[in-house]
Amino acid sequence: PPGAGKPPAVARSSVRQQVCFGLLCLVLCFITGGEHAAATWLAPLGIEFGGFGIGSAAMMTSLFWSTICICRLVWCAASACVTSSWPTLLVDVSLMSVGSLMLLAFARAPSSGGALWASALITGLGASSGLPCVMALPAEVGVPMTPFAIAMLNAAGSFGETVFPFICGIAFDRRLVFGIGLFLLSMNLLSVLSTSLAWALAARRPKQGAPGVKRIN
């Protein structure tokens, strides 16, 4: 039959969708970066500056990862009832910003170990469903999840989880605890801004008669 053997047409995203996808990649970079920076350096910060014992630092790290694990399991059950992941993602990145504020509070008063525990818990809450939300949103926006799109998301996540702990390690070596908190807070606030912009773009509808998605024959 005519056309037999030809590869299926590939959808090409509009400029609006491409910008939205780029912002989501940026948000994923911030989320994975903040998650792995916290996982790497919260315990050493507690030991070095907060007077934590090895056991207490290990328990705090376990709290961080347990929070992420439990909340992702909850998200698996709740996601079927969610019509859009945008509100959840905005709450996630906002929680990570609050977690960074708790880290700044610890930097101002290292004896207040509770602030560091709160940072671990709140950052874990924010990072837990942030990753699955970002992975689900391209399809919601109408961006085809091609191998290239998946590779871009993976590259953005890997960049964040590699670079953020490295930057925090340099600050830790120089005993710049406040600098670590300020860096993570800045990145998380950029994440909130990027999420808000992406959501606003996603909410815009193409003008009447303007094609939302073009096709490549």
Side-chain angles (χ1 to χ4, degrees), residues 144-164:
M145 288 300 286
T146 61
F148 177 77
I150 295 172
M152 288 296 295
L153 287 170
N154 285 333
S158 297
F159 182 83
E161 67 190 22
T162 301
V163 173
F164 280 40

Side-chain angles (χ1 to χ4, degrees), residues 75-130:
W75 175 251
C76 287
S79 58
C81 306
V82 174
T83 57
S84 174
S85 297
W86 287 113
T88 305
L89 180 60
L90 188 57
V91 170
D92 288 335
V93 294
S94 299
L95 281 172
M96 294 189 73
S97 299
V98 175
S100 301
L101 286 173
M102 292 296 99
L103 184 54
L104 284 175
F106 170 78
R108 293 295 299 271
S111 58
S112 60
L116 198 61
W117 281 88
S119 179
L121 176 63
I122 297 171
T123 302
L125 285 171
S128 59
S129 56

Side-chain angles (χ1 to χ4, degrees), residues 12-27:
R12 179 189 299 165
S13 303
S14 66
V15 173
R16 176 182 63 88
Q17 291 168 320
Q18 291 171 0
V19 172
C20 188
F21 179 76
L23 289 170
L24 285 174
C25 288
L26 196 61
V27 171

Side-chain angles (χ1 to χ4, degrees), residues 19-41:
V19 172
C20 188
F21 179 76
L23 289 170
L24 285 174
C25 288
L26 196 61
V27 171
L28 183 59
C29 174
F30 293 144
I31 290 175
T32 58
E35 174 186 344
H36 284 265
T40 303
W41 293 109

Side-chain angles (χ1 to χ4, degrees), residues 128-206:
S128 59
S129 56
L131 173 62
C133 281
V134 172
M135 299 301 289
L137 279 170
E140 187 176 323
V141 175
V143 176
M145 288 300 286
T146 61
F148 177 77
I150 295 172
M152 288 296 295
L153 287 170
N154 285 333
S158 297
F159 182 83
E161 67 190 22
T162 301
V163 173
F164 280 40
F166 178 76
I167 294 174
C168 291
I170 294 174
F172 180 87
D173 188 55
R174 288 163 172 74
R175 305 183 69 82
L176 300 174
V177 184
F178 192 83
I180 295 175
L182 192 60
F183 167 70
L184 292 177
L185 177 62
S186 301
M187 296 300 101
N188 286 322
L189 290 177
L190 283 175
S191 186
V192 172
L193 177 61
S194 299
T195 300
S196 302
L197 290 175
W199 190 1
L201 282 174
R204 291 182 58 188
R205 293 290 181 264

